[in-house]
Amino acid sequence: MSTLDEALAASQDWGVPHASAAVITADGRVAASTGDQDHVYRLASVTKLLSAYAALVAVEEGALALGQPAGPPGATVEHLLAHTAGYDFSTSALRAAPGERRLYSNTGFEVLADLLESETGIAFDAYAHEAVFAPLGMASTSIGDSAAAGGSSSTADLARFAAELQEPQLLDPATLARATGVSFPGRRGVLPGFGQQRENDWGLGLEIRGTKSPHWTGSRNSPDTFGHFGQSGTFLWVDPRAGAALVALTDRPFGPWAAEVWPPFSDGVLDALAAR
């Protein structure tokens, strides 16, 4: 049985220019790490985790409400966060009525960012910095030019965020529990890179493992696992049953290589955690 250090070391054989990873336990401790923890990577859609968290802070502050109308007629902030507003992936074209289908959409997050800016008078990147990054000490992190996919960060910073996702300091635990529960359950949809899913479960900006197959997490990840992966070759998951989170960042675009190596990598980490 491998140790956590040995399990993480597998990421250094992925044939990518740079790879960094860390395991963060439920008490917020970095249990093991590999690679340059301060190297800054493009996050692509892992940005959505950060943007969603900033939006949830705004909900608690009263700047937004989950039931607030947003986007197309009949849609709300919750629909935007849960990818059920009906938007196309990257345009404002509508492909379904709100709540009807799980249509993964960058547009929904851009609309959400614009709404938050109009409600607060603060640029979305600045709001995220003030609400999330500065309090958590995430000095290398930014949203950039897109709330959907423009972010950049380091493994060290995302380890701090992964600790927050397990024991929230910036949100009421009930809010985080709401975000990690399924919004609009039973919706079909395509999980990018992994195909059509009969139940494409999603929370409030957080993807939920559920019964999806195939998937980018491991076969040993529990259905309660939540997180996100990005097309830049990045991912972050939290498995509440395992009591740990895993961050893995690379600078090689997602492709068949990632779909092949990520699940056994996650399984190796979970095996090592179970053996401790």
Side-chain angles (χ1 to χ4, degrees):
M1 187 68 66
S2 65
T3 66
L4 272 178
D5 287 330
E6 291 168 338
L8 288 185
S11 65
Q12 303 307 304
D13 297 325
W14 288 348
V16 301
H18 299 90
S20 307
V23 174
I24 305 90
T25 49
D27 59 3
R29 184 174 56 88
V30 175
S33 64
T34 189
D36 184 350
Q37 299 294 289
D38 296 317
H39 184 83
V40 175
Y41 296 84
R42 293 187 307 108
L43 297 180
S45 285
V46 173
T47 305
K48 292 182 177 72
L49 292 178
L50 306 174
S51 296
Y53 217 77
L56 292 172
V57 172
V59 168
E60 287 202 346
E61 290 182 341
L64 296 177
L66 291 177
Q68 179 176 347
T76 65
V77 167
E78 181 176 3
H79 285 101
L80 296 176
L81 284 166
H83 297 287
T84 55
Y87 281 123
D88 180 63
F89 171 70
S90 60
T91 75
S92 58
L94 296 176
R95 295 172 49 200
E100 183 177 271
R101 294 168 57 195
R102 189 86 63 193
L103 295 170
Y104 183 80
S105 174
N106 281 350
T107 301
F109 269 71
E110 306 296 2
V111 170
L112 179 66
D114 289 344
L115 176 64
L116 182 57
E117 287 190 18
S118 68
E119 293 291 331
T120 64
I122 304 171
F124 189 79
D125 192 18
Y127 188 92
H129 176 78
E130 294 175 14
V132 181
F133 308 152
L136 294 180
M138 298 170 64
S140 299
T141 303
S142 68
I143 294 294
D145 61 358
S146 169
S152 59
S153 189
S154 65
T155 308
D157 274 13
L158 288 188
R160 297 181 179 96
F161 184 63
E164 168 70 15
L165 289 173
Q166 294 179 91
E167 190 171 335
Q169 306 299 312
L170 305 181
L171 290 179
D172 187 299
T175 301
L176 183 58
R178 174 71 176 81
T180 58
V182 181
S183 285
F184 307 101
R187 300 307 194 270
R188 287 181 175 269
V190 173
L191 177 62
F194 293 90
Q196 185 73 228
Q197 306 287 333
R198 187 172 63 84
E199 292 189 355
N200 194 16
D201 288 347
W202 224 276
L204 299 177
L206 314 171
E207 193 217 330
I208 298 171
R209 175 74 164 82
T211 59
K212 298 184 183 111
S213 180
H215 199 255
W216 54 274
T217 63
S219 63
R220 293 172 176 77
N221 278 97
S222 76
D224 295 335
T225 300
F226 61 88
H228 221 294
F229 84 92
Q231 288 291 326
S232 57
T234 56
F235 73 77
L236 184 163
W237 58 247
V238 175
D239 190 333
R241 296 192 195 178
L246 176 61
V247 175
L249 305 180
T250 79
D251 47 12
R252 180 181 179 185
F254 174 85
W257 73 270
E260 178 181 345
V261 303
W262 284 356
F265 178 66
S266 292
D267 283 341
V269 168
L270 289 165
D271 283 345
L273 282 166
R276 296 174 76 212

